[in-house]
Amino acid sequence: MVRIITDGTSDMSAQRAAELNIDVIPLRVLFGEESFLDGVDITREEFFARLASSQELPTTSQLTPDDFLGLFQKYAAQGDEIVGIFVSTELSGTCQSACIAREMVEGGEIHIVDSRTVTFALALLVEEAARMRDQGLSAAQIAAEVEKLAQRTHLLAVVDTLTYLKKGGRVSAATAAVGGLLGIKPIVGVDSRGTVEALGKARSIASGLDWIAQHIKNAPADPEHLVAYGHSNSPDRVPVCMEALKDALPQDKPPLMGSIGAVVGTHVGPGAVGVAYIAAE
């Protein structure tokens, strides 16, 4: 049997993970001395409520080899093949920890994939992997295909406020102050290397979504693959996003829905909305 494992930065819900038989290893988020397992000890709504009232940004603890080892050993002992699809190596050492754990397991077939992305774009790749598994592909075949798809995966979002990017040192206080006065909405994305980049800016969420629609038309989506929409504590903005992008994206498959959790939410804050898709070759 092929087992698919991802980490908590995928922001895949427990319900969806159970439906797909996916193992999700959660990260810890720390508010001062208080530690919570993201999505287990603290809900997304509780996280964003704490984020709004916290003077300091929370931190997250990186997954260690020990976090993977028990699960890897369990499945290897059962004779299962494993595909681990994890957050971009440019953003976290999670893949490295998983690789170290793999070397500690005897006799298991374990494939580690750098997704080159995060949040609901990572969940999109996990969904694609599950679809391949259900079609009967081997772990080696799934890993190879997901690595190819990762290079074509786009994650684009409009951020509602510069406040959290300023707190995290991503923009200067002066830029944040001016941007706040002007109502600037940054447009951010994850590039093909797996790093977060500022792509542009808009005066409103609507104009930011128009910018994303044009970007998609310049790098069209592959209709053979799924599309995912996501938000940070602002589900009401997802239908607006879908409407704005309907002419730019294929509509023949039901879209995936994602909710940004603690790791990405720490930096973008509430109100962000965006899309993840796999571009045509």
Side-chain angles (χ1 to χ4, degrees), residues 125-173:
L125 290 173
V126 173
E127 293 262 0
E128 292 284 353
R131 189 164 67 163
M132 294 178 211
R133 176 203 61 198
D134 295 344
Q135 291 170 350
L137 274 67
S138 68
Q141 290 171 320
I142 293 169
E145 288 301 314
V146 173
E147 285 177 352
K148 292 176 187 176
L149 294 179
Q151 298 177 47
R152 294 158 47 198
T153 300
H154 293 236
L155 173 59
L156 305 155
V158 187
V159 177
D160 190 48
T161 173
L162 287 161
T163 299
Y164 299 94
L165 290 168
K166 181 194 78 173
K167 282 184 178 181
R170 297 297 195 272
V171 299
S172 70

Side-chain angles (χ1 to χ4, degrees), residues 228-243:
Y229 296 91
H231 66 91
S232 57
N233 207 38
S234 51
D236 56 312
R237 287 188 167 165
V238 173
V240 176
C241 179
M242 294 176 68
E243 177 67 22

Side-chain angles (χ1 to χ4, degrees), residues 180-200:
L181 289 172
L182 297 176
I184 295 297
K185 312 293 184 187
I187 301 160
V188 298
V190 179
D191 64 24
S192 60
R193 293 171 299 135
T195 58
V196 178
E197 60 179 350
L199 300 173

Side-chain angles (χ1 to χ4, degrees), residues 216-230:
I216 296 170
K217 289 176 181 178
N218 293 333
D222 186 336
E224 293 299 312
H225 296 288
L226 301 166
V227 172
Y229 296 91

Side-chain angles (χ1 to χ4, degrees), residues 5-9 23 25 63 68 72 82-89 94-96 98-99 111-118 122 126:
I5 302 172
T6 190
D7 63 80
T9 70
D23 288 285
I25 303 177
L63 291 175
F68 297 100
F72 284 2
I82 297 170
V83 181
I85 308 168
F86 302 118
V87 59
S88 168
T89 55
T94 293
C95 267
Q96 183 181 11
C99 287
H111 301 268
I112 305 299
V113 179
D114 175 2
S115 72
R116 304 185 184 212
T117 193
V118 70
L122 171 51
V126 173

Side-chain angles (χ1 to χ4, degrees), residues 29 47-48 51 57-60 164-165 261-269:
V29 57
F47 166 77
F48 280 105
L51 183 68
L57 283 181
T59 58
T60 54
Y164 299 94
L165 290 168
V263 176
V264 176
T266 292
H267 299 290
V268 302

Side-chain angles (χ1 to χ4, degrees), residues 54-100:
S54 177
Q55 293 301 309
E56 299 293 328
L57 283 181
T59 58
T60 54
S61 61
Q62 179 177 302
L63 291 175
T64 68
D66 283 345
D67 291 318
F68 297 100
L69 188 56
L71 199 56
F72 284 2
Q73 288 175 328
K74 172 187 171 184
Y75 288 146
Q78 295 173 183
D80 295 336
E81 300 176 351
I82 297 170
V83 181
I85 308 168
F86 302 118
V87 59
S88 168
T89 55
E90 295 293 326
L91 303 177
S92 168
T94 293
C95 267
Q96 183 181 11
S97 292
C99 287
I100 293 170

